[in-house]
Amino acid sequence: MPVAAAEPGSEQAFQDATGQPRPDHGGTVPPYRAGDRDNPHRQPRRTPGIQLEEPGAGSYPTTPPTHRAEDDVASNPRMTKQQVCRAIREDIINGAFAPGQRLTEDTIAESYGVSRVPVREALRTLEAEGFAFSRPYAGTFVAELTEAEAADLLEIRALLEPLCASRAALRRTPEQLGRLKELTALGQDAVRTGRLDELTRLNSRFHEVLAEASGSTLLTQLITQLGWKIAWVYAVELPRRAGDSWAEHEHICAALEAKDAALAQRLVTEHIAHATAAYRLRERRSTPAGSGS
């Protein structure tokens, strides 16, 4: 499915293959993602976040835990409801909000520097996604997955992403293949030079583009949501997987370039199996349901 040209002023128009702002965008303030550490428009952290283990390069890592997404929201009063939702979701994934913790609209709105309306809408979306749940007359709380539900995430991913790869081999555009190759080269260079903190963003973007290359909006949405959940409940042993993971990415790119659907599907299946061995459940202290934020 061909990729349409980016509209002037759109998020795509400002970003390079890694999803980061282009240095020559020539426009107004670019729409930085909530978790971008290099956003020059965000303010310094006002409250310390919860320190967690560093996610690795196995698959779908998320925003570094030393930075809270709310800092970016507060620095940009023009944040849309989608951006507010993404910021709250990232803070849940990073552990800034503990499982069982109550999410109060007033406190979150004040903390993020936005009104209650986008927060209310964001909490409804997060509840639909499974990151939160509500109780009558009690409020909305951060959800917590059981070990069985966490295991389901990896099993479902092992079924869906090879299908994405198989379709991507036949449907990918030259631009998408180019982005995957560029991300792979950047990841391998980061491994060689010891810049392991960059692997989080690069690996996440690689899997996003791979899903997009399948040409299926539904598959892309499913893979994206699986990625959020996996990053939420799992940590990956790093640097154990770093070098191997990016070598596997390179082989996947070669299969996509050759338009070999069967090979691409097999390589991604093996890639997921290797990555799964490096996963371990995060240890997080739950907050009894009913505790305030």
Side-chain angles (χ1 to χ4, degrees):
M1 182 174 66
V3 176
E7 293 292 333
S10 69
E11 183 169 351
Q12 182 183 358
F14 289 115
Q15 296 176 345
D16 60 16
T18 70
Q20 295 299 292
R22 297 182 184 277
D24 58 347
H25 60 78
T28 56
V29 177
Y32 289 88
R33 296 183 177 185
D36 289 345
R37 302 176 72 183
D38 55 352
N39 182 349
H41 306 285
R42 70 178 176 88
Q43 299 174 352
R45 285 175 53 204
R46 294 166 295 146
T47 55
I50 298 176
Q51 189 74 23
L52 299 175
E53 296 172 285
E54 179 71 18
S59 182
Y60 300 115
T62 185
T63 310
T66 54
H67 170 244
R68 290 190 63 173
E70 70 171 62
D71 300 331
D72 300 297
V73 177
S75 67
N76 189 352
R78 298 175 298 171
M79 294 287 287
T80 66
K81 61 183 180 181
Q82 291 84 3
Q83 290 171 315
V84 172
C85 181
R86 182 172 63 202
I88 299 174
R89 184 193 300 114
E90 288 184 358
D91 277 341
I92 290 175
I93 291 173
N94 291 337
F97 296 119
Q101 181 174 349
R102 186 180 179 186
L103 301 170
T104 58
E105 294 178 12
D106 288 339
T107 303
I108 293 175
E110 180 180 0
S111 181
Y112 289 5
V114 296
S115 71
R116 291 177 56 185
V117 174
V119 173
R120 183 180 304 118
E121 295 177 349
L123 293 181
R124 290 173 182 166
T125 299
L126 294 171
E127 186 173 353
E129 293 175 352
F131 285 98
F133 67 94
S134 61
R135 291 180 177 174
Y137 312 108
T140 303
F141 304 86
V142 178
E144 182 173 14
L145 297 185
T146 66
E147 289 191 14
E149 290 170 332
D152 283 345
L153 294 175
L154 299 180
E155 186 173 351
I156 294 171
R157 182 202 169 201
L159 295 173
L160 288 183
E161 195 162 357
L163 175 61
C164 275
S166 175
R167 291 191 174 188
L170 302 177
R171 300 180 180 183
R172 55 85 181 163
T173 66
E175 292 78 14
Q176 288 167 332
L177 179 61
R179 285 200 292 273
L180 289 169
K181 285 184 173 182
E182 181 179 356
L183 288 163
T184 299
L186 290 171
Q188 290 175 328
D189 183 67
V191 171
R192 282 193 299 268
T193 56
R195 305 190 319 274
L196 301 183
D197 58 320
E198 297 182 16
L199 297 179
T200 293
R201 172 174 54 85
L202 294 171
N203 184 73
S204 179
R205 184 59 182 152
F206 181 93
H207 285 275
E208 289 173 4
V209 176
L210 180 61
E212 293 164 3
S214 72
S216 170
T217 301
L218 178 58
L219 271 177
T220 300
Q221 291 172 343
L222 290 172
I223 290 294
T224 298
Q225 290 198 22
L226 278 173
W228 293 336
K229 294 287 183 66
I230 289 171
W232 180 30
V233 297
Y234 285 101
V236 181
E237 295 179 359
L238 187 71
R240 170 183 160 187
R241 273 288 298 162
D244 291 344
S245 179
W246 287 98
E248 291 163 9
H249 286 170
E250 184 175 16
H251 297 153
I252 292 169
C253 286
L256 296 178
E257 186 170 22
K259 297 187 177 181
D260 190 331
L263 178 59
Q265 184 171 7
R266 179 173 64 81
L267 289 175
V268 170
T269 299
E270 294 173 354
H271 176 66
I272 293 173
H274 297 156
T276 300
Y279 281 120
R280 64 185 184 279
L281 284 172
R282 295 183 184 274
E283 294 183 4
R284 289 179 175 168
R285 181 175 301 174
S286 298
T287 300
S291 300
S293 60

